Amino acid sequence: MSKTTASDPAPSAAEDQELGDAGSQLSTAPKEDAPNLPALGVIGWARWFWRQLTSMRVALLLLLLLSLGAIPGSLIPQSGSDETKVADFRKAHPALSDVYDKIGMFHVYSSVWFSAIYILLFVSLIGCIVPRTWQFVGQLRGLPPGAPRRLNRLPAHTTWRTTAEPEQVHQAALALLKKRRFRTHLTGDAVAAEKGYLRELGNLVFHIALIVMLVAFAWGQLYKSEGNKLVVEGDGFSNTLTQYDDFKSGNLFTSDDLVPFSFNLKKFTGTYERTGPNKGTPRVYKADITYSTGAYGKDETDTVQVNHPLEIGDSKVYLVSHGYAPVVTVRDAKGKVVFDDAVPLLPLDGNVTSSGVVKVLDGYRNAKGEKEQLGFNAFFVPTFGGHASGTMLSQFPALDNPLLALSAYHGDLGADSGIPQSVYQMDRSNMKEFKNSQGKLFKKLLKPGETMKLPNGAGSVTFGKDIKEWAGFQVVQQPGSGWALAGALAAIGGLAASLFIQRRRVWVRAVKGADGVTVVEMAGLGRSESAKVPEELGHLAGDLYEQAPGAPDDPAVSPDTDQEPGTEPPVPAEGAEK
């Protein structure tokens, strides 16, 4: 048996022409023809533009442009996600903001130029995939092409003489190649076989998956919604637009798309590391809730934790923040309770040093019996380090030594002006300070259960012993995320198949020589240069040689000869194996 060889140089143009159908259509990629400008005319130019748009190089260029276009959306504040940052950017860079407005940099993903790239890429992929899919289906329904006239011109080939009949060699080759999962058939005096179709299938799956990802991304962006809600222990939330603290959505989203559900926060539990380098790091961080779906849904219990959201239909409820809500009771000059509620305060650092305001809008009368509104700046630390520490910053996030600092104001909070106000800030433009005996702003540090009496008998404020906690929830509804994930996984699988699977063909010819001895030729051809084709051909030839062993006087046939099948074998090449 002769050695299986692989020719170093690629076949010449004449040799490629000699291979005919055997070397063609190993790929569904469109042929790269020489430039041929169409004749002038609307139809001609439209046809030329379509061919350019559906070419692979244009699709890759559009994909690159889409990636580059997404960069400004990550670096520049976007009006759809954070209007406050956009406003701050406009104040800091007024001239640059005018330029950004003209080119849509504050709303990149809905801008004209980004949408144009997106749509062109979508059309390009479809125009590229459809014809290749039909071509691939045609190849699957067809049979492997017949053997070239001269198999020894192929990159990998081998030959030997055997006493077996040609029909026996053909049957043995068919059985062997089918066992190795080749598609085979007998055509003329040779067996033709082919495998590696998953390479082209993977290529098509990759491009189809890109389309699925583009559709899923567009669908998710157009119909998405995202809202945040702060809920104090004992309070609840209903999934309606008016219940959200802040809310943003896609262009095609409507309030009817909200999933109907509600929940109540029963208890928030947070424990923290007490010692070591991770001191203050949360160990347990969870919110126990009861929820119901629809208007008459049955109450169910669940626990929302970080990275373990509550899923109701297409909505996911995430636990995103936590803080404290001291219970404050305010009485007027006659001792009547005009405010008694838990006041959520916003954390300023990792140890939950918090700040906020207490607003008394209705029911308060001062010592003269006049109606007024009260406002208190509140500063809260769950673990006060003591006056010796010299700082009013919390030393630990748990309620080890809580302390509340209040400074008092009276007047008009401007709540009736019709201008929306933040519940965490106070407009002091029409407010007056309560003064202490030294004429300075009246303020005091309170421990749980202590009371601060306002000057001149104006009333009192009590810091309750019951300190509640609050949890911040983010409700996200983004359809298409499952399809996007499936498309991404399919794209990875398809790309892996197109990179690591090689499509190749094998031919086995067996004919009677002039001396009556059967001459067997085997050759292989792959889509690209690879050591796998000669290696695989060597294994196949070895297995076939066991069933059709060489003739006793069989000299090795040189792989470089131009010997025609059926003629006298040439002198063995140097180094050839029997």
Side-chain angles (χ1 to χ4, degrees):
M1 178 179 176
S2 64
K3 179 184 289 187
T4 302
T5 60
S7 303
D8 292 334
S12 63
E15 292 169 345
D16 287 341
Q17 186 176 4
E18 186 180 74
L19 296 179
D21 292 338
S24 67
Q25 294 184 351
L26 273 171
S27 169
T28 56
K31 297 180 180 179
E32 296 290 341
D33 298 327
N36 184 19
L37 295 178
L40 293 177
V42 176
I43 297 178
W45 282 109
R47 187 176 300 166
W48 176 85
F49 176 78
W50 176 253
R51 289 175 178 173
Q52 298 302 313
L53 179 61
T54 56
S55 65
M56 186 57 63
R57 65 171 66 92
V58 172
L60 292 175
L61 178 61
L62 290 172
L63 190 60
L64 175 63
L65 290 177
L66 192 70
S67 302
L68 294 176
I71 295 177
S74 302
L75 301 178
I76 301 173
Q78 299 296 292
S79 57
S81 58
D82 198 328
E83 289 284 0
T84 303
K85 289 186 178 180
V86 173
D88 294 340
F89 188 92
R90 292 181 186 277
K91 292 179 180 179
H93 310 281
L96 187 59
S97 297
D98 293 338
V99 178
Y100 282 179
D101 280 329
K102 293 179 181 179
I103 60 179
M105 284 298 177
F106 291 123
H107 50 92
V108 169
Y109 303 113
S110 60
S111 63
V112 175
W113 57 270
F114 190 86
S115 300
I117 298 174
Y118 196 91
I119 295 174
L120 286 175
L121 177 60
F122 188 81
V123 174
S124 177
L125 288 174
I126 293 179
C128 181
I129 288 173
V130 171
R132 293 186 68 169
T133 301
W134 285 117
Q135 184 180 354
F136 180 64
V137 171
Q139 292 181 16
L140 289 178
R141 298 177 62 185
L143 295 174
R149 186 171 60 89
R150 305 177 73 173
L151 291 178
N152 58 353
R153 290 296 184 93
L154 295 184
H157 59 274
T158 186
T159 183
W160 72 92
R161 290 154 53 89
T162 180
T163 55
E165 293 297 321
E167 292 77 10
Q168 295 176 341
V169 177
H170 291 157
Q171 294 302 318
L174 285 170
L176 174 63
L177 292 170
K178 287 181 179 179
K179 184 179 179 181
R180 299 292 181 88
R181 297 189 299 276
F182 279 84
R183 297 176 62 216
T184 62
H185 74 112
L186 179 63
T187 170
D189 59 358
V191 172
E194 185 172 8
K195 73 183 300 186
Y197 286 91
L198 286 179
R199 179 188 182 96
E200 298 306 322
L201 180 61
N203 197 3
L204 293 174
V205 168
F206 173 74
H207 289 86
I208 293 174
L210 287 182
I211 294 180
V212 172
M213 291 172 64
L214 289 175
V215 173
F217 178 76
W219 181 21
Q221 291 298 310
L222 291 173
Y223 289 95
K224 74 173 183 179
S225 67
E226 182 180 301
N228 294 286
K229 178 62 178 179
L230 185 152
V231 182
V232 179
E233 288 177 330
D235 292 343
F237 166 77
S238 179
N239 193 26
T240 59
L241 291 180
T242 56
Q243 288 277 300
Y244 284 100
D245 296 331
D246 61 83
F247 184 85
K248 55 180 179 288
S249 62
N251 295 334
L252 299 182
F253 179 86
T254 64
S255 59
D256 295 335
D257 296 323
L258 288 172
V259 178
F261 70 89
S262 60
F263 67 85
N264 292 310
L265 175 61
K266 294 301 181 182
K267 181 177 178 56
F268 179 88
T269 303
T271 61
Y272 309 89
E273 290 285 351
R274 289 284 177 178
T275 58
N278 295 324
K279 181 180 179 181
T281 302
R283 297 184 60 186
V284 177
Y285 207 73
K286 63 180 182 179
D288 297 323
I289 65 172
T290 59
Y291 70 95
S292 62
T293 305
Y296 306 102
K298 182 180 178 181
D299 285 346
E300 300 182 51
T301 61
D302 202 346
T303 299
V304 183
Q305 303 181 59
V306 178
N307 297 327
H308 291 83
L310 170 67
E311 297 187 25
I312 305 176
D314 291 333
S315 293
K316 292 184 179 180
V317 182
Y318 293 90
L319 175 63
V320 295
S321 58
H322 156 258
Y324 293 102
V327 176
V328 177
T329 303
V330 180
R331 292 177 172 83
D332 63 7
K334 295 183 178 180
K336 176 185 176 182
V337 175
V338 293
F339 182 89
D340 185 14
D341 202 359
V343 181
L345 304 179
L346 299 182
L348 302 176
D349 57 27
N351 287 326
V352 202
T353 302
S354 308
S355 68
V357 296
V358 180
K359 297 181 180 180
V360 181
L361 301 176
D362 300 310
Y364 173 76
R365 291 179 180 271
N366 59 22
K368 298 179 180 179
E370 299 172 345
K371 290 185 177 181
E372 278 190 315
Q373 293 177 339
L374 298 180
F376 303 90
N377 278 331
F379 197 84
F380 176 78
V381 289
T383 301
F384 182 50
H387 296 283
S389 65
T391 178
M392 189 58 183
L393 295 177
S394 178
Q395 306 300 306
F396 195 73
L399 291 171
D400 291 346
N401 185 23
L403 191 70
L404 178 65
L406 295 175
S407 55
Y409 299 83
H410 63 102
D412 182 9
L413 289 169
D416 300 327
S417 63
I419 301 176
Q421 291 186 351
S422 170
V423 296
Y424 306 107
Q425 296 178 343
M426 179 172 55
D427 181 8
R428 300 203 304 265
S429 57
N430 296 316
M431 299 291 288
K432 298 179 181 179
E433 298 178 349
F434 278 104
K435 302 291 185 178
N436 59 17
S437 58
Q438 299 176 351
K440 296 181 179 180
L441 174 64
F442 182 78
K443 53 187 177 180
K444 191 172 183 180
L445 299 178
L446 299 176
K447 293 182 178 181
E450 293 185 344
T451 298
M452 175 180 74
K453 294 187 177 296
L454 298 177
N456 303 320
S460 64
V461 181
T462 300
F463 176 23
K465 294 182 178 181
D466 181 20
I467 301 176
K468 294 186 178 182
E469 300 186 49
W470 59 260
F473 296 94
Q474 185 177 70
V475 183
V476 178
Q477 187 171 332
Q478 187 165 6
S481 56
W483 284 100
L485 177 59
L489 295 176
I492 294 174
L495 183 61
S498 64
L499 290 177
F500 298 109
I501 297 177
Q502 184 178 22
R503 190 170 175 185
R504 62 267 192 200
R505 289 170 179 160
V506 173
W507 295 274
V508 181
R509 174 179 283 132
V511 295
K512 285 283 188 179
D515 56 357
V517 179
T518 301
V519 178
V520 181
E521 288 184 296
M522 291 187 68
L525 180 66
R527 176 180 174 181
S528 58
E529 294 291 335
S530 172
K532 184 176 182 179
V533 174
E535 180 182 350
E536 185 177 34
L537 184 66
H539 292 305
L540 291 172
D543 293 342
L544 185 60
Y545 187 83
E546 293 178 358
Q547 303 181 54
D553 57 346
D554 177 28
V557 180
S558 171
D560 298 325
T561 181
D562 292 339
Q563 178 77 15
E564 291 290 339
T567 61
E568 289 294 327
V571 178
E574 181 179 356
E577 300 176 357
K578 278 207 172 182

